[in-house]
Amino acid sequence: MNIALISIPKIQEPRGNLSVIENDCIPFEMKRVYYLYDVPSGAERGGHAHKNLKQFLVALSGSFDVVLNDAKEQKTVTMNKPFEGLLINPGIWRELNNFSSGSVCLVIASAVFDEADYIRDFEDFIKYKNQ
């Protein structure tokens, strides 16, 4: 599956930890940054794939699961470390669920928002992957 867990540099000191994400940390240039928070218990986010966009997800606080599917296999990755990010390359269906109370999911994207890049129906995703 075309995903990767990537360590984010962490500076530890008695006053608290600091992590830095710069363009050399992730394999694409950052074009958009957004975050998910106050996700109600039992709610799900995602439920789509991208044709071209790359994303890098980080659990800044708390935890959540990312269910990934490339039309051949499905894998669940639990995100719970603010010094580790999940790279999701194009052509991967993703669903985010099991958000803990107070969790914050940071998303760094390789492009600005473009609705035409989204595949929002799972059956359409399977057709797209089988072309």
Side-chain angles (χ1 to χ4, degrees):
M1 189 173 294
N2 198 8
I3 61 164
L5 283 170
I6 298 174
S7 293
I8 299 167
K10 179 170 85 170
I11 301 162
Q12 293 180 290
E13 62 171 71
R15 298 178 299 161
N17 299 331
L18 171 75
S19 288
V20 178
I21 300 172
E22 296 178 323
N23 274 323
D24 62 350
C25 179
I26 54 176
F28 60 82
E29 185 178 350
M30 296 179 223
K31 296 287 186 173
R32 180 169 58 129
V33 176
Y34 61 95
Y35 44 96
L36 308 170
Y37 60 98
D38 291 342
V39 178
S41 178
E44 294 186 358
R45 299 295 310 227
H48 63 267
H50 290 281
K51 298 172 187 171
N52 299 301
L53 185 81
K54 297 178 183 180
Q55 290 182 317
F56 187 70
L57 280 62
V58 181
L60 292 182
S61 179
S63 65
F64 53 89
D65 290 336
V66 184
V67 181
L68 304 152
N69 189 314
D70 65 359
K72 292 182 180 147
E73 70 173 305
Q74 182 167 298
K75 181 177 187 173
T76 300
V77 177
T78 299
M79 301 298 298
N80 59 8
K81 298 173 185 149
F83 54 87
E84 185 174 74
L86 175 64
L87 173 66
I88 305 175
N89 284 297
I92 305 288
W93 185 267
R94 81 285 321 271
E95 297 174 4
L96 286 70
N97 59 34
N98 201 25
F99 286 86
S100 68
S101 178
S103 61
V104 178
C105 172
L106 175 74
V107 182
I108 300 172
S110 64
V112 297
F113 178 80
D114 178 7
E115 183 61 36
D117 187 60
Y118 282 75
I119 305 170
R120 295 191 182 271
D121 181 83
F122 189 73
E123 294 303 318
D124 291 343
F125 168 71
I126 296 298
K127 290 176 192 171
Y128 175 80
K129 291 295 284 189
N130 290 325
Q131 292 178 3

